[in-house]
Amino acid sequence: MNTADLGLPVDVPSTALFTDQYELTMLQAALKAGTAERRSVFEVFTRRLPEGRRYGVVAGTGRVLDAVENFRFDADVLGFLRERQIVDEQTLKWLADYRFSGDIWGYPEGEVYFPGSPIMRVEGTFAECVLLETVILSILNHDSAIAAAASRMASAAGERPLIEMGARRTHELAAVAAARAAYVGGFATTSDLAAGFRYGIPTVGTSAHAFTLLHDRERDAFQAQVDTLGRGTTLLVDTYDVAEAVRTAVEVAGPELGAVRIDSGDLLLVAHRVRQQLDELGAANTKIVVTSDLDEYAIASLAAAPVDAYGVGTQLVTGSGHPTCSMVYKLVARAESGDPKAPLVPVAKKSSGGKTSIGGRKWAARRLDEDAVAEAEVVGTGPVPADLADRQLLVELIKGGDVVAREPLDAPRDRHIAARANLPLSATQLSRGEPVIPTEYVQGRSGS
């Protein structure tokens, strides 16, 4: 069962307090001023990619849909707000009936993005849209950072599978989200059972050094594991002496031994030695799994090594040095009055220091060259040029408050593989560089 299809909520009574206080105080002031019901358009985008990155990866969209559905101010939440005097009674009464009834469009999960890409567009009244800022940003910023790191690692690994094993290096709930984002970015499995239960991600795991240390002899530990898990298991061979452990592993499990895992030392050198030893012992089909603080650069350095799979933890769940994507949630258009038919007018903050933004409801399309390779991210307001009409990137996610685009997790995973394949070849280079394609802006009417 893929529980991503079920839209399971996070393990809290409500997502409504996954927000910042100023969103509620803005709501109170807008209700008092009579502007809360003005039709509004908010957009999520980033002004720049993390330093040196050539593309970003959209991840967390499915979790955003769950969070919006579960954004409810129940009695306990309202009681907390009343006790702390966060907002007045009029606002509490409004919040008690809160249900997002607007529309959300966005880049489909797994798609790539660039500076200025309108990754998500939230439309509705100001009151109902402004409350969603923090929860949307917290999900997209975290999950997209993990997925981008995972994508770079998957590119470096080529056809060799990657195992996500970072749960012990981050918050317990972040670990589940990280495993999901890593799967979208190209990882094959996870060690985290909560991620397997919630999202249907394949799970793997055998034993740690503690299991070997528990036994009087390494041979006894290997025998116990093989007796329980079968000859196809993976034996950890670097607790004591690697060469002796490999010899013992093959003696215990025979040539049918599934794999050995190396978790320390000069992985390139040790992998070559272990491969030679396994072949000499008649275990030519036994695979080699390496772990030990890997990142995309370490994975790339092992490309010529006889390694069959990689396990990655710390660097993955921390975004490999970039734990956020610096996405923002900005009001880009609003109606002139509370009349539902009032036209939208573009709005934008005037700022120096690189914090400028462009007003107006945006569309986005990716222009391809004659070889069907992406050559530009085109972002505009007003009518979409005819030559880009069939290359638009935003899809409808929520319509009239109802989710219309929930999908199993394999869909964004496959989508990302296709999206990355359509980028210029330099996108997969690990050397520092600028975004692999430029963002071009087309100015027009903001639309209504």
Side-chain angles (χ1 to χ4, degrees):
M1 178 182 66
N2 189 338
T3 53
D5 294 329
L6 304 180
L8 296 181
V10 294
D11 293 333
V12 293
S14 166
T15 55
L17 291 184
F18 289 172
T19 190
D20 291 303
Q21 180 168 317
Y22 80 165
E23 288 162 5
L24 298 187
T25 55
M26 281 191 288
L27 169 65
Q28 177 175 304
L31 288 171
K32 186 174 182 179
T35 53
E37 297 304 312
R38 287 189 176 186
R39 192 157 55 100
S40 300
V41 180
F42 287 81
E43 289 176 351
V44 176
F45 63 93
T46 185
R47 297 183 177 95
R48 62 190 66 83
L49 297 178
E51 184 180 359
R53 295 288 174 88
R54 297 170 185 262
Y55 63 92
V57 181
V58 178
T61 308
R63 296 208 308 120
V64 168
L65 301 183
D66 293 344
V68 172
E69 279 191 328
N70 202 42
F71 204 90
R72 303 285 187 267
F73 291 84
D74 58 26
D76 289 340
V77 170
L78 292 170
F80 166 78
L81 297 175
R82 179 177 289 108
E83 178 185 348
R84 295 292 182 92
Q85 298 183 343
I86 304 296
V87 291
D88 61 19
E89 286 299 322
Q90 178 189 3
T91 306
L92 290 172
K93 183 178 179 180
W94 189 94
L95 291 173
D97 296 326
Y98 180 85
R99 300 290 186 274
F100 180 73
S101 63
D103 303 328
I104 296 181
W105 291 69
Y107 280 36
E109 190 163 17
E111 184 58 84
V112 296
Y113 71 87
F114 299 92
S117 296
I119 296 164
M120 187 168 286
R121 189 175 73 217
V122 182
E123 304 186 38
T125 66
F126 175 84
E128 63 181 342
C129 294
V130 73
L131 296 181
L132 299 177
E133 175 183 5
T134 300
V135 69
I136 287 177
L137 287 179
S138 66
I139 292 172
L140 294 181
N141 268 312
H142 173 269
D143 290 23
S144 297
I146 306 304
S151 178
R152 285 162 60 85
M153 293 173 188
S155 293
E159 297 300 316
R160 298 171 178 176
L162 291 156
I163 307 163
E164 186 282 314
M165 47 196 307
R168 63 191 61 194
R169 303 299 189 207
T170 188
H171 185 279
E172 65 272 17
L173 293 181
V176 182
R180 183 187 183 282
Y183 190 73
V184 170
F187 274 58
T189 55
T190 180
S191 65
D192 190 83
L193 289 177
F197 173 75
R198 181 170 297 175
Y199 298 118
I201 302 170
T203 58
V204 295
T206 51
S207 67
H209 294 103
F211 185 74
T212 300
L213 295 170
L214 169 68
H215 293 80
D216 296 334
R217 299 184 304 163
E218 192 169 45
R219 177 182 296 272
D220 296 337
F222 288 174
Q223 189 67 61
Q225 185 173 327
V226 169
D227 288 346
T228 303
L229 302 178
R231 298 178 185 273
T233 191
T234 299
L235 295 176
L236 181 59
V237 295
D238 72 332
T239 305
Y240 304 118
D241 179 85
V242 173
E244 181 62 30
V246 171
R247 185 178 301 108
T248 301
V250 176
E251 288 176 357
V252 170
E256 298 85 6
L257 175 61
V260 295
R261 178 163 74 95
I262 307 166
D263 188 51
S264 59
D266 183 336
L267 297 179
L268 179 62
L269 176 62
V270 175
H272 277 287
R273 288 178 174 174
V274 169
R275 180 74 272 158
Q276 180 179 354
Q277 186 181 10
L278 287 169
D279 293 346
E280 291 172 350
L281 293 171
N285 294 324
T286 298
K287 299 183 183 301
I288 297 175
V289 180
V290 296
T291 52
S292 184
D293 291 326
L294 298 178
D295 62 9
E296 59 265 47
Y297 302 103
I299 291 169
S301 73
L302 293 168
V307 172
D308 298 286
Y310 306 94
V312 189
T314 303
Q315 292 301 316
L316 175 66
V317 299
T318 57
S320 195
H322 297 290
T324 182
C325 302
S326 299
M327 293 177 185
V328 295
Y329 183 94
K330 296 297 181 183
L331 180 66
V332 296
R334 52 87 175 167
E336 296 176 331
S337 71
D339 185 343
K341 296 181 180 180
L344 291 174
V345 294
V347 295
K349 172 186 176 182
K350 291 184 178 180
S351 177
S352 59
K355 283 196 171 184
T356 57
S357 57
I358 298 174
R361 178 204 274 138
K362 315 292 191 310
W363 51 263
R366 191 161 298 144
R367 192 171 67 237
L368 308 180
D369 64 15
E370 60 274 11
D371 297 316
V373 176
E375 65 176 10
E377 190 89 337
V378 185
V379 177
T381 58
V384 180
D387 62 321
L388 294 175
D390 62 347
R391 300 297 309 167
Q392 293 189 71
L393 292 164
L394 280 82
V395 299
E396 196 165 31
L397 303 172
I398 293 180
K399 181 176 183 180
D402 295 325
V403 174
V404 295
R406 187 169 278 115
E407 58 187 1
L409 197 54
D410 281 335
R413 175 183 169 85
D414 293 342
R415 184 179 295 119
H416 177 62
I417 293 172
R420 191 175 62 200
N422 284 335
L423 295 177
L425 189 59
S426 59
T428 59
Q429 292 179 338
L430 295 181
S431 58
R432 292 185 179 274
E434 298 299 315
V436 71
I437 61 174
T439 302
E440 300 176 359
Y441 292 95
V442 178
Q443 293 283 359
R445 295 182 299 104
S446 65
S448 60

